[in-house]
Amino acid sequence: MLSEKYHSEINAILTKYPPDQKRSAVMPMLYLAQSEYGYISQAVMAEVAGILGLEPTQVASIVGFYSLYYDHKGGVRRVQICADLPCALHGADKFAEDLCARFGVKLGGTTKGGEFTIEAVMCLAACDKAPMFQIQDATGIHYHENMTVDRAERLLNDLKDGMR
């Protein structure tokens, strides 16, 4: 359980908020949980909810809303393609379809070997630079704009081969 392993970290997070507002600690608590498990399971959502005095559905709604939280296991890197309407008008849907085809996965799936999960997200705030995506991995979040499928494939293969 998260509360047993990270007792002092949880207390440090909670001391940053007034006792009657501990629900405000939900995002740092989810970040802590995700850094431990790689994603946030239903059980972890329930545990975080219990610690903060929230309903599990309230925690689940936050996990579901933000593209930085994951409710399922995924690849070492998450390739998140912006697929909102402005990006779709700039070819994001076709870009996502073609990139998935190159890597032999369906959108939302993980490549063989577990290196990449390719998924669609809403609004990465670069509508004028679509198609674009962000890569989330252990080193942070990295944005890639004005992409073509060929350039994206080279970038991902370089990452897989440890060249970036």
Side-chain angles (χ1 to χ4, degrees):
M1 298 295 291
L2 195 64
S3 58
E4 294 170 8
K5 186 170 184 179
Y6 291 101
H7 182 74
S8 61
E9 290 88 344
I10 290 170
N11 284 337
I13 290 169
L14 292 175
T15 61
K16 295 178 183 180
Y17 302 92
D20 64 330
Q21 295 296 317
K22 67 182 181 179
R23 67 183 298 145
S24 299
V26 68
M27 292 183 77
M29 292 284 290
L30 290 172
Y31 180 79
L32 176 67
Q34 186 165 278
S35 65
E36 170 65 15
Y37 303 114
Y39 74 107
I40 303 165
S41 67
Q42 293 291 325
V44 170
M45 288 184 221
E47 182 180 5
V48 168
I51 292 168
L52 301 178
L54 297 168
E55 293 297 319
T57 55
Q58 291 173 301
V59 175
S61 70
I62 291 167
V63 172
F65 180 79
Y66 290 100
S67 63
L68 299 177
Y69 298 121
Y70 325 119
D71 62 359
H72 59 280
K73 291 180 183 179
V76 174
R77 294 180 173 94
R78 291 190 182 250
V79 179
Q80 298 181 316
I81 302 167
C82 187
D84 63 2
L85 181 58
C87 289
L89 292 173
H90 282 99
D93 294 340
K94 177 83 168 118
F95 172 81
E97 179 183 318
D98 292 347
L99 187 64
C100 285
R102 294 263 179 110
F103 283 89
V105 297
K106 293 184 180 190
L107 195 60
T110 301
T111 58
K112 188 177 179 180
E115 183 67 30
F116 303 108
T117 296
I118 303 174
E119 53 198 1
V121 297
M122 290 291 125
C123 198
L124 296 177
C127 301
D128 61 325
K129 295 175 180 68
M132 67 87 55
F133 58 87
Q134 67 184 12
I135 297 175
Q136 293 185 44
D137 61 20
T139 65
I141 301 170
H142 313 280
Y143 294 90
H144 302 280
E145 302 167 337
N146 298 311
M147 296 303 294
T148 66
V149 174
D150 289 337
R151 286 180 42 223
E153 182 181 25
R154 281 193 303 275
L155 170 75
L156 296 179
N157 283 329
D158 286 352
L159 284 171
K160 187 172 80 174
D161 296 337
M163 294 174 63
R164 292 185 187 210

